[in-house]
Amino acid sequence: MSSTGRELAQEHQLLRDAFRERHARVVRLDQDDASFDAEYGQMVEQAERLLEFEKGVPARLAEPQRERSERFVKWSWRAETAVAALLIAAVFVVGNTAWWLVLLVPHLLATLMGWTVEVTAARHVHQRRVAVGLHVLCVLVALVSLGVVSAWFLITVPVGWIVVGVASEDTPVKGQTR
């Protein structure tokens, strides 16, 4: 069990013990007793804390992996932006036709928009896979624009953009509320 799992188990046990103690107090009291209502109210509050904790356990267990995914996704988009900028510079340095900018500028802008992606606990694995797909697309863009592979592969670049775009659909953006 991970340290996070152990900490959660200990915290859960403490909450359960506190609830049991409250319940034992309430059971010992007569319903007509003056302190019954106060003890019962505290037991209900303790039960609500326990239930709220239990609802959050899956997200808290997934948090370390979500953080790793967040770093991977964040640096993937940044790296691909840098590669797109280098490819734009390479067009001018190598002396290729400026028509390649029709391919590279939208690619640069799309990778810049990826910087705003928020990695959530529920979708972090999916977002990591999208980032891997982005790497594949970027390699394809680089190979086509540098002339390593046939220009006929240019047709696959917009298809790749659509695939990454559709896969990124419904991905939360930082600062956006749903």
Side-chain angles (χ1 to χ4, degrees):
M1 184 182 286
S2 68
S3 64
T4 303
R6 275 191 296 277
E7 292 169 9
L8 288 174
Q10 289 171 349
E11 191 175 345
H12 187 247
Q13 188 61 45
L14 289 173
L15 287 169
R16 287 175 54 203
D17 291 344
F19 176 74
R20 268 194 220 103
E21 289 173 21
R22 272 293 159 208
H23 182 262
R25 287 183 202 158
V26 169
V27 169
R28 285 191 300 259
L29 293 175
D30 185 51
Q31 289 186 3
D32 295 330
D33 194 346
S35 61
F36 178 82
D37 288 339
E39 285 292 330
Y40 186 80
Q42 290 176 353
M43 182 185 75
V44 169
E45 287 176 16
Q46 189 64 41
E48 288 173 353
R49 279 193 292 272
L50 179 60
L51 288 172
E52 198 61 36
F53 174 82
E54 288 175 347
K55 282 185 208 172
V57 167
R60 289 176 68 184
L61 282 172
E63 185 59 21
Q65 289 185 344
R66 189 208 62 81
E67 288 173 352
R68 280 192 294 277
S69 293
E70 182 177 38
R71 282 191 302 274
F72 179 76
V73 169
K74 178 175 70 173
W75 286 104
S76 292
W77 284 100
R78 289 178 179 178
E80 299 311 336
T81 300
V83 169
L86 288 172
L87 288 172
I88 289 172
V91 165
F92 296 109
V93 170
V94 175
N96 283 351
T97 177
W99 280 103
W100 284 111
L101 295 177
V102 171
L103 170 73
L104 297 174
V105 170
H107 185 71
L108 174 70
L109 295 175
T111 58
L112 281 171
M113 289 187 332
W115 285 35
T116 62
V117 169
E118 185 176 339
V119 180
T120 62
R123 294 181 47 106
H124 74 94
V125 173
H126 174 75
Q127 291 164 322
R128 191 172 50 216
R129 289 181 183 142
V130 169
V132 170
L134 176 68
H135 289 298
V136 171
L137 177 61
C138 190
V139 167
L140 179 64
V141 168
L143 293 175
V144 170
S145 65
L146 294 174
V148 175
V149 297
S150 171
W152 284 103
F153 281 94
L154 180 65
I155 297 167
T156 60
V157 173
V159 172
W161 287 340
I162 291 169
V163 168
V164 169
V166 167
S168 296
E169 193 172 331
D170 294 333
T171 298
V173 175
K174 291 179 184 161
Q176 178 185 40
T177 58
R178 290 198 172 242

